Amino acid sequence: MEAIIGLLIALAFILIIVGVPIYVSLLLTGVLSLVALAVSTGTPVATIAVSQAIFNGMGNLPLLAIPFFMLAGEIMNRGGITEKLIKFAMLLIGRLPGSLAHAGIVSSMFFGGITGSAQASASCMGGILIPAMEKEGYSVKEAAGVISAASVCGPIIPPSIIMVVYATAVGASVGSMFMGGVIPGIMAGLILMVIVLLRNRVCHFPRRTEKLAAAEIKKTLIDGIIPLGMPVIVVGGIMGGICTATEAGAIAVVYSLIVSLFITRTLKLRDMGSILLSAANSAAPLLLIIACAKVFSYGLTALQMPVLVNDLILSITDNKWVFLLLVNILLLIMGMFMDGGAAVIILAPILAPVAASMGISLVHFGIVMCLNLTIGCITPPLGYCLFITGKIGKISIEDTVRGTLPYMLGEIIVLLLITYVPVLVTFVPSVLGYAI
């Protein structure tokens, strides 16, 4: 049985690596696992289980938060929020050395707190800031590196799409995951700002010197605070137990519509058709992957894979710190070749039970997993954010990687800190009374 499971997992990864769509790879491997089970036990293939698994995969209520947050982010982005957030971040940064780089980091944290997506942050922030940084005297390589690395903060600061996927996959609380990401997300942003200050000693980044008039400061504050009300309402509603993550996603959509249509008036009703289509195109692939991953998970569970993996890991080590080190190495490698959401769907149901058996909090393990795989957005060869910022800056992927490397190393330091100092993750959820 171990050999069959090994072959099936290898087949799934080979299919993904050679370019077969992820949902097809997972569905095919899941069906083959049910066929293998039928052959080994002499029972007919439970075809009804495939359709039920697909339905259950997409019919999970918390997953509704994903299209809601994607739609809210799309509305706010089309409503011109990006420029307002950058100006607000510049106001907060003031005249620090490398002020535009710092503003890129802070505004990416803000924007990520609205969209929950690294790719959206890299695209929107990069489209404005990379040309602006180049104009101010930054090298394109440095500008692309800063924005690429800053995009990682977005999916860790709540709300977060990848956290919803993890929570659904393992049965954890979405609210606990969101609260667990607060400190790590802020730490990731702060360490990037520290690296900018350290690199300034060598690179001598431009420093902004102009003063803003009082009227302009007031306008910038109002323009920035209004859109930032959305993550405050979402997180505050979840923290206060007023709403679930799914309900918070619906509230975010309503809030973003009110702001864009009636307050900033940067959106028209006629724009809603293309916005809905864009949000659906973003959410549908992920939901399809989740549905097919349910078949994959169901088949391998029927073959007793979680038990075999648990026994295998315990035969190597029963030390949870060594286990976490091995998991981090595995996930960093996985993130180089696979989308983070897909990797969570495949690996979380397998590894989370092992972590729980070692006394590791599901929330702690989940935040480690989410940050690790989000860093995969800036690791070659697959790193989506590298391709996005490299294309904006019109430089090669190699130069983008060189510009990103110092910042990526800083985020790996944060990853190690939250791995081995669990209180950095569990403190906020535990204070708020969430199960960890």
Side-chain angles (χ1 to χ4, degrees):
M1 193 63 72
E2 291 88 343
I4 293 174
I5 292 174
L7 287 172
L8 289 170
I9 294 174
L11 174 63
F13 287 118
I14 290 170
L15 289 172
I16 292 169
I17 290 170
V18 300
V20 177
I22 295 174
Y23 72 92
V24 174
S25 304
L26 296 177
L27 180 61
L28 178 60
T29 309
V31 171
L32 288 177
S33 65
L34 292 175
V35 171
L37 178 65
V39 171
S40 63
T41 59
T43 58
V45 178
T47 52
I48 188 65
V50 176
S51 58
Q52 287 176 339
I54 291 174
F55 178 80
N56 291 335
M58 286 195 294
N60 202 321
L61 185 61
L63 289 179
L64 269 179
I66 294 175
F68 279 141
F69 285 129
M70 286 184 169
L71 178 56
E74 187 69 23
I75 292 169
M76 295 292 261
N77 184 39
R78 295 281 191 96
I81 185 178
T82 307
E83 296 89 343
K84 292 179 174 61
L85 288 179
I86 291 171
K87 289 181 181 178
F88 183 68
M90 282 300 303
L91 182 63
L92 295 180
I93 294 303
R95 302 180 189 179
L96 274 177
S99 52
L100 197 52
H102 289 297
I105 295 165
V106 174
S107 53
S108 292
M109 292 169 71
F110 288 155
F111 192 80
I114 293 172
T115 65
S117 166
Q119 290 95 319
S121 179
S123 177
C124 297
M125 292 298 160
I128 296 173
L129 284 170
I130 291 175
M133 291 173 74
E134 183 182 6
K135 187 177 179 180
E136 279 207 0
Y138 293 82
S139 70
V140 184
K141 180 175 69 176
E142 192 75 29
V146 170
I147 300 303
S148 296
S151 66
V152 171
C153 300
I156 305 304
I157 295 174
S160 165
I161 291 170
I162 195 171
M163 290 182 191
V164 175
V165 175
Y166 172 85
T168 306
V170 304
S173 162
V174 176
S176 296
M177 289 295 298
F178 281 3
M179 296 305 103
V182 171
I183 293 176
I186 294 172
M187 286 175 61
L190 289 176
I191 201 165
L192 293 181
M193 296 178 73
V194 169
I195 292 170
V196 169
L197 291 174
L198 293 175
R199 287 186 61 75
N200 178 67
R201 298 184 177 183
V202 177
C203 302
H204 305 292
F205 296 135
R207 181 199 296 244
R208 293 209 156 186
T209 57
E210 70 270 20
K211 294 182 178 180
L212 295 177
E216 190 172 356
I217 291 174
K218 181 180 178 181
K219 185 177 185 303
T220 301
L221 284 171
I222 294 172
D223 286 347
I225 289 173
I226 289 174
L228 286 175
M230 191 182 87
V232 171
I233 290 171
V234 169
V235 176
I238 295 171
M239 286 173 59
I242 300 170
C243 58
T244 64
T246 303
E247 293 163 346
I251 292 170
V253 172
V254 174
Y255 182 86
S256 60
L257 280 172
I258 292 171
V259 169
S260 300
L261 289 174
F262 304 113
I263 298 177
T264 63
R265 297 184 180 179
T266 49
L267 206 64
K268 305 295 182 185
L269 279 175
R270 63 174 176 267
D271 299 324
M272 286 307 300
S274 62
I275 289 174
L276 288 168
L277 182 60
S278 178
N281 285 335
S282 298
L286 180 55
L287 293 173
L288 186 57
I289 290 171
I290 291 172
C292 294
K294 196 71 174 179
V295 181
F296 178 81
S297 176
Y298 177 83
L300 293 183
T301 301
L303 290 173
Q304 300 298 308
M305 182 186 175
V307 176
L308 295 174
V309 170
N310 184 69
D311 292 343
L312 175 63
I313 292 175
L314 291 178
S315 69
I316 298 172
T317 180
D318 58 358
N319 186 304
K320 67 179 182 180
W321 306 118
V322 176
F323 166 72
L324 286 171
L325 175 63
L326 295 175
V327 167
N328 272 329
I329 293 171
L330 170 65
L331 295 179
L332 284 171
I333 294 171
M334 289 288 294
M336 296 170 67
F337 299 99
M338 184 178 290
D339 174 75
V344 166
I345 294 163
I346 295 171
L347 295 176
I350 297 170
L351 296 175
V354 182
S357 71
M358 292 186 175
I360 301 170
S361 158
L362 281 181
V363 174
H364 174 220
F365 185 76
I367 298 299
V368 169
M369 191 173 203
C370 291
L371 175 57
N372 196 315
L373 291 170
T374 304
I375 291 174
C377 293
I378 57 171
T379 54
L382 185 64
Y384 296 123
C385 294
L386 297 177
F387 288 100
I388 292 170
T389 55
K391 185 177 180 180
I392 292 169
K394 299 177 182 177
I395 58 175
S396 67
I397 189 68
E398 292 82 7
D399 282 342
T400 310
V401 171
R402 292 189 189 100
T404 307
L405 188 59
Y407 304 99
M408 181 176 66
L409 292 176
E411 288 174 334
I412 291 175
I413 290 172
V414 173
L415 173 64
L416 293 174
L417 283 172
I418 68 168
T419 298
Y420 294 108
V421 188
V423 70
L424 294 173
V425 173
T426 59
F427 176 74
V428 174
S430 62
V431 167
L432 295 173
Y434 283 96
I436 56 173

